[in-house]
Amino acid sequence: MRFLSGLQEPKVAVIGLGYVGSCVAAALADRGLEVVGVDTNTRLIDELNNGYCRFAEHGLPELIESGMASGKLRATTDAATVRDADVVLVTVGTPVREDGSLADEQLGGACFELSKHIRRGQLIVLKSTVPPGTTRGIVLPLLQRGGLVGGRDFGLAFTPERLAEGTALAELRSFPIVAGGLDDDSAQDAAEFWRDALDVEVIPLDTLEAAEIVKLADNWWIDLNIALGNELAKFSALYGVDALDVIRAANSIPKGNGNVNILLPSVGVGGSCLTKDPWMVWYSARERGLEILTAPAGRDVNASMPEYTAQLAVDQMTKLGKDPATAKVAVLGLAFKNNTGDLRATPTLDAVAALERACGQVRIYDPLVDVEEAAELFGKPQAASLHEAVHDADCIAILALHREFADVEFADLPVADDCLVLDGRAYYSREKIAELRSYGYHYRGIGR
Ligand code: NAD
């Protein structure tokens, strides 16, 4: 049964107003839809209703503010409000347990709560990343608890969120959306909803499971490809070759539908997705008797990078005649990648820990992260300013290059003589490196 045909402006509810849910809710409200966001976290909802956005995502605070001001966007802890919605999007967290299995407490809780308020005619759309079979095997039975039947009384679809933090809003408005449905009508309703709501291309798939696997395939590929970039960097370094030159040149030949596309090496992979989704693949396969080798291999390589990065700094300082045991290191950028304040599974934590084991003093600084969260995670407060962090530093380790660091005048920094710039994710150009050298810095990057 089609439920959305003829509805000009469907009302939307978003369950789970974390990173993804906030971006999706704000983007839909910005397109003129009436959106209510529901979350169990009262502090998060209070913050949003007081005009504060905790996610350091480019453009998001402004979008939430304008959505709230226009009345198109509301935030509440009251799950009963989903009853008014025509489309209910589920964007709760889906972490994995130690063994790689889905920790389904958030998803189960959200669907259980939704089952109390679901009504005939609604389209329920899961966007959280899940192992294949979850929408059909966990979500559907929970939603049917009250007696309504999926496909007959309500629609059910899976359309994964594939945005990346730091560029989330632009990607939301441009990336194609993959849609699988419980039945054809659900899939068509979901496809029509996203096409109209965000004006993006929709790629329909035959089943829920196909759409679930697409999302996992994307992140499996990305993590494994970064691992290739990381091992290529280690390999290139053996020959004194700049890995970025190698990657640029290697990526110049066509293969498949595009070019060879080796991704960039770095201090490591973090965040809530790439660190868990390959394990979802591995665990789901293993449960069915298939041993996947590439997913864990990628994870292992990427997990080795923080230690490798710290060792690079230590070795280079030693070569410069500095004693690491008394050296001062300033770490700039703690978030898991450039231009986000997200500290989840950040590789910088292990890099800082390794530097602390080897070096005299390690100061940390990141203007985008939550100050209290960072202090708790790293076990010490941040420096009050960039200048305080780099004072007398023997090494500046740039582990996340936020826009805020782009204009730093290295010539003016109060660092020690022969200061090393350790580039963990800045990808400085030849010109920039030459400029740093002209100011008396030494430079070392991952595979550079
Ligand atoms: P998150 O932890 O930031 O947000 C999850 C939110 O859900 C939290 O605010 C939490 O309080 C809320 N929640 C939990 N249980 C709830 C319930 N029963 N009712 C209402 N709210 C509830 O997670 P996220 O980063 O936004 O990720 C959400 C999903 O999207 C995950 O499956 C993730 O894998 C996927 N994803 C994330 C990204 C990313 O970059 N963060 C990108 C693409 C996809």
Side-chain angles (χ1 to χ4, degrees):
M1 178 104 69
R2 296 287 303 270
F3 297 111
L4 295 191
S5 314
L7 260 185
Q8 283 306 313
E9 288 193 347
K11 291 183 185 167
V12 182
V14 179
I15 304 186
L17 276 187
Y19 219 106
V20 166
S22 292
C23 288
V24 171
L28 291 174
D30 184 52
R31 294 273 301 173
L33 295 183
E34 207 174 295
V35 183
V36 62
V38 182
D39 203 291
T40 44
N41 184 335
T42 43
R43 195 173 139 206
L44 172 69
I45 296 298
D46 286 346
E47 284 171 4
L48 288 168
N49 284 324
N50 288 321
Y52 173 75
C53 169
R54 62 168 71 177
F55 306 112
E57 180 66 44
H58 194 53
L60 183 62
E62 296 81 356
L63 213 57
I64 288 182
E65 198 185 331
S66 64
M68 293 280 185
S70 69
K72 288 286 181 192
L73 179 62
R74 287 184 300 127
T76 176
T77 53
D78 180 9
T81 53
V82 302
R83 206 170 169 76
D84 296 333
D86 302 299
V87 178
V88 182
L89 308 175
V90 180
T91 52
V92 295
T94 48
V96 296
R97 300 195 183 95
E98 195 86 334
D99 65 358
S101 62
L102 174 69
D104 61 3
E105 292 80 4
Q106 293 188 44
L107 184 62
C111 292
F112 183 83
E113 194 58 32
L114 178 54
S115 72
K116 297 186 206 159
H117 310 291
I118 191 170
R119 62 164 173 79
R120 263 193 190 80
Q122 285 180 317
L123 174 69
I124 315 295
V125 180
L126 178 62
K127 290 193 72 59
S128 305
T129 307
V130 290
T134 304
T135 314
R136 195 184 303 276
I138 295 180
V139 174
L140 178 64
L142 281 169
L143 297 183
Q144 294 185 147
R145 277 178 65 250
L148 295 187
V149 176
R152 186 192 73 190
D153 302 314
F154 63 89
L156 178 63
F158 180 75
T159 70
E161 187 47 68
R162 300 191 290 168
L163 59 76
E165 292 180 21
T167 42
L169 294 175
E171 292 181 354
L172 255 175
R173 294 166 177 142
S174 61
F175 275 8
I177 288 198
V178 163
L182 178 64
D183 52 8
D184 284 350
D185 286 345
S186 296
Q188 279 186 46
D189 267 344
E192 200 172 295
F193 168 70
W194 288 115
R195 240 179 248 127
D196 292 349
L198 291 178
D199 194 22
V200 290
E201 181 196 345
V202 175
I203 302 171
L205 288 162
D206 286 344
T207 61
L208 293 165
E209 289 74 17
E212 290 167 335
I213 292 177
V214 167
K215 168 67 197 188
L216 294 175
D218 279 334
N219 280 356
W220 182 0
W221 183 90
I222 295 168
D223 194 53
L224 192 58
N225 196 313
I226 295 172
L228 175 61
N230 282 332
E231 286 213 307
L232 186 60
K234 291 178 180 176
F235 185 57
S236 300
L238 298 177
Y239 301 92
V241 164
D242 188 330
L244 294 201
D245 289 345
V246 172
I247 290 173
R248 200 174 307 117
N251 285 354
S252 62
I253 57 163
K255 190 58 67 182
N257 290 332
N259 273 14
V260 169
N261 188 17
I262 301 168
L263 299 180
L264 296 178
S266 69
V267 59
V269 170
S272 65
C273 295
L274 295 178
T275 52
K276 71 162 162 86
D277 295 350
W279 291 120
M280 259 184 199
V281 171
W282 174 82
Y283 184 89
S284 307
R286 202 161 217 228
E287 266 192 316
R288 285 157 187 78
L290 173 67
E291 191 68 28
I292 294 275
L293 300 178
T294 50
R299 285 286 65 240
D300 287 348
V301 171
N302 292 334
S304 75
M305 293 311 292
E307 184 80 39
Y308 177 84
T309 306
Q311 195 57 47
L312 208 57
V314 169
D315 291 348
Q316 200 61 24
M317 281 192 284
T318 309
K319 275 192 196 151
L320 292 170
K322 294 173 182 276
D323 177 7
T326 57
K328 296 189 173 92
V329 179
V331 171
L332 303 185
L334 303 173
F336 84 88
K337 66 174 180 176
N338 301 348
N339 299 317
T340 175
D342 198 340
L343 285 167
R344 289 181 288 183
T346 180
T348 64
L349 183 62
D350 285 345
V352 167
L355 286 168
E356 279 173 337
R357 285 194 295 276
C359 301
Q361 193 186 32
V362 180
R363 292 185 219 122
I364 54 176
Y365 179 69
D366 189 321
L368 292 191
V369 302
D370 183 88
V371 173
E372 284 169 25
E373 193 188 347
E376 197 181 322
L377 186 65
F378 286 84
K380 61 178 167 193
Q382 290 198 55
S385 66
L386 187 139
H387 273 248
E388 188 184 300
V390 303
H391 197 264
D392 272 346
D394 297 291
C395 169
I396 297 178
I398 303 169
L399 301 188
L401 185 77
H402 303 320
R403 289 181 193 91
E404 285 75 357
F405 295 143
D407 299 330
V408 168
E409 291 291 348
F410 278 87
D412 299 340
L413 297 183
V415 296
D417 288 345
D418 286 319
C419 180
L420 169 69
V421 171
L422 194 282
D423 176 349
R425 209 189 280 281
Y427 310 117
Y428 281 140
S429 64
R430 275 166 197 258
E431 295 71 31
K432 179 74 180 184
I433 295 167
E435 185 191 320
L436 289 170
R437 290 196 171 122
S438 75
Y439 299 146
Y441 288 94
H442 299 263
Y443 175 87
R444 197 68 209 262
I446 313 288
R448 311 186 74 198

